[in-house]
Amino acid sequence: MKVYKKGFIGIGAFVAAGSLLVGCSASDNGGNSGNEAVGEITVWVDADRAAVLKDAAADFESDTGVKVTLVQKDFGEVRDQFVQQVPEGEGPDIAVGAHDWLGTLVTNGVVAPIALGDAADDFQKVAIDAWSYDGNIYGVPYSIENIALLRNTALAPEAPATYDAMIAAGQAAGTEYPFLVGLDPNASDPYHLYPFQTSFGAPVFGINEDGSYNPSDLQIGNAGGDAFATWLAAQGAAGVLNTNISGDLARENFVAGKSPFFLTGPWNVPAAVDAGLDIAVDAIPSAGGQDAQPFAGVQGFFLSAKSENVVAATNFLINYIGSAEVQTALYEIGGRAPALTESFEAAVASDPIVGAFGEVGANAVPMPSVPAMGKVWEFWGVTEVAIINGQGDPAQLWQKMAADIQAAIG
């Protein structure tokens, strides 16, 4: 792979980006804070993406003379190690990660904003929104992941318009389950059930004018939340939602033809295809009358606030990792929809499954990255389990959850 840069960000704007970053980071370190791209940079990358970045790094070194050292890390350990090492003057210049780490990274002062300028318009909006925090963009996104409705077309020829229509079609198919979604017996799965919750008008947080989440405006306990809780209890009583059907069991039953519908992500598509199923990917049907919006998870690469070579790191980050060649290569090894629109459209043209997930993802909302989200997870899933299993009045259980979250957030 050769990276053919398309001038994502002109040199003038690039220098401006470097200068902007200097003001908040590298100038404090005595490193290369000027406009020269010299020396070397270090990038933390996981095993799946290392091969792609190896090629991009070789191109970067050839073009600029700046050496790129790739350090392979376990993806799940990157955030905590980054937070621990950067304040000590260690850690990389750039690291791979997930957008919902941003709250932790920003509040610990270890990540620097990036001036993408007009180039931000070249990415899917949900991807840029996800990597934005307090009005700044903190990463170059490369992939978008969300759930959608998988449909076995042999059992259900048409996409359902509503949740009730889906259940009716599932029952008409005569299969063991009208609909499948994997749940945990102790923690349910708020991530998978969230689109149904949003269809009742009960998001977790309110939204600021700039589109970011407002953790001071907890919305989960509004009237829509009560309606969702009542609906959740009804689905549990009817046996449609079952906390004994894990994600693995849901996949096994769908692949075995025991249900026409499966709410899941692209990670379960290969099993269905390998089983010979003819599948379609549909929008998630609304249960409450409003849009059923799933969470979007967006992965990307971000810049250390203590980078000693900001100009070179920013150049590699924006003009190489953000190039169509690298974004497409990252898609080809990971199978997740690209964040760069040019690469996304190319992927859609070659793979309708990716395109269909992408269409559903266009209506998704970023997973909140604010630190308060940790308190939400603590109470959310256990409450859903109690409601689905009929362990109390659903609205009262939901309101207690909202009160507990509010008290924990403060």
Side-chain angles (χ1 to χ4, degrees):
M1 176 190 66
K2 171 67 179 175
V3 176
Y4 296 98
K5 302 182 292 298
K6 297 184 68 176
F8 237 45
I9 183 167
I11 187 63
F14 166 65
V15 169
S19 299
L20 175 65
L21 293 167
V22 165
C24 62
S25 57
S27 61
D28 298 332
N29 303 316
N32 172 29
S33 60
N35 293 331
E36 299 177 76
V38 297
E40 62 181 295
I41 59 174
T42 300
V43 181
W44 282 3
V45 63
D46 60 311
D48 290 343
R49 276 143 283 273
V52 174
L53 256 64
K54 182 179 179 181
D55 290 343
D59 288 337
F60 185 72
E61 290 181 14
S62 175
D63 293 344
T64 68
V66 176
K67 177 177 173 57
V68 180
T69 300
L70 300 178
V71 178
Q72 194 167 307
K73 291 281 184 179
D74 185 312
F75 187 90
E77 297 178 353
V78 169
R79 185 189 65 177
D80 290 346
Q81 291 188 12
F82 195 85
V83 170
Q84 293 166 3
Q85 295 189 26
V86 167
E88 303 298 326
E90 301 176 354
D93 300 276
I94 295 170
V96 67
H99 87 271
D100 57 324
W101 301 354
L102 263 183
T104 298
L105 297 176
V106 173
T107 54
N108 280 279
V110 295
V111 62
I114 299 168
L116 277 179
D118 292 342
D121 295 335
D122 294 333
F123 291 87
Q124 301 284 78
K125 182 178 182 301
V126 68
I128 294 298
D129 287 348
W131 278 96
S132 297
Y133 196 95
D134 284 344
N136 292 311
I137 300 172
Y138 281 92
V140 171
Y142 72 84
S143 73
I144 304 169
E145 190 170 80
N146 56 271
I147 59 174
L149 186 68
L150 286 193
R151 173 167 51 92
N152 182 333
T153 61
L155 298 172
E158 302 294 332
T162 66
Y163 178 88
D164 289 343
M166 176 182 71
I167 298 303
Q171 291 168 340
T175 51
E176 185 172 348
Y177 305 101
F179 160 69
L180 287 165
V181 58
L183 300 176
D184 181 272
N186 299 309
S188 180
D189 195 326
Y191 173 83
H192 278 82
L193 296 178
Y194 193 61
F196 299 133
Q197 182 177 323
T198 58
S199 78
F200 285 90
V204 176
F205 298 117
I207 302 294
N208 293 315
E209 289 185 3
D210 64 1
S212 62
Y213 287 107
N214 180 359
S216 298
D217 182 18
L218 189 66
Q219 286 288 316
I220 198 168
N222 67 16
D226 288 347
F228 170 68
T230 301
W231 174 87
L232 204 59
Q235 302 313 305
V240 177
L241 297 181
N242 187 334
T243 57
N244 290 320
I245 296 181
S246 66
D248 287 344
L249 283 174
R251 182 186 62 247
E252 290 174 14
N253 285 315
F254 181 74
V255 167
K258 295 183 180 180
S259 177
F261 302 109
F262 182 21
L263 183 61
T264 188
W267 49 86
N268 277 324
V269 168
V273 172
D274 291 346
L277 301 187
D278 184 6
I279 60 169
V281 179
D282 300 328
I284 301 168
S286 173
Q290 301 184 36
D291 282 351
Q293 294 181 287
F295 280 134
V298 184
Q299 295 190 354
F301 289 83
F302 52 91
L303 180 68
S304 169
K306 298 294 184 182
S307 172
E308 295 185 349
N309 205 341
V310 175
V311 173
T314 305
N315 186 8
F316 184 64
L317 194 57
I318 297 177
N319 288 324
Y320 288 75
I321 293 176
S323 70
E325 289 79 8
V326 172
Q327 294 261 322
T328 296
L330 289 168
Y331 154 70
E332 289 173 343
I333 63 164
R336 297 182 176 90
L340 187 71
T341 301
E342 179 182 347
S343 296
F344 174 78
E345 291 174 347
V348 167
S350 63
D351 188 339
I353 295 291
V354 171
F357 271 102
E359 289 180 7
V360 177
N363 190 42
V365 292
M367 179 97 72
S369 57
V370 293
M373 195 62 194
K375 300 300 182 185
V376 177
W377 293 119
E378 184 179 337
F379 298 100
W380 200 1
V382 294
T383 300
E384 288 186 344
V385 167
I387 293 173
I388 292 170
N389 292 334
Q391 296 171 348
D393 178 84
Q396 290 180 3
L397 288 170
W398 196 257
Q399 285 305 314
K400 183 179 185 305
M401 173 200 72
D404 288 343
I405 293 171
Q406 186 65 71
I409 292 174

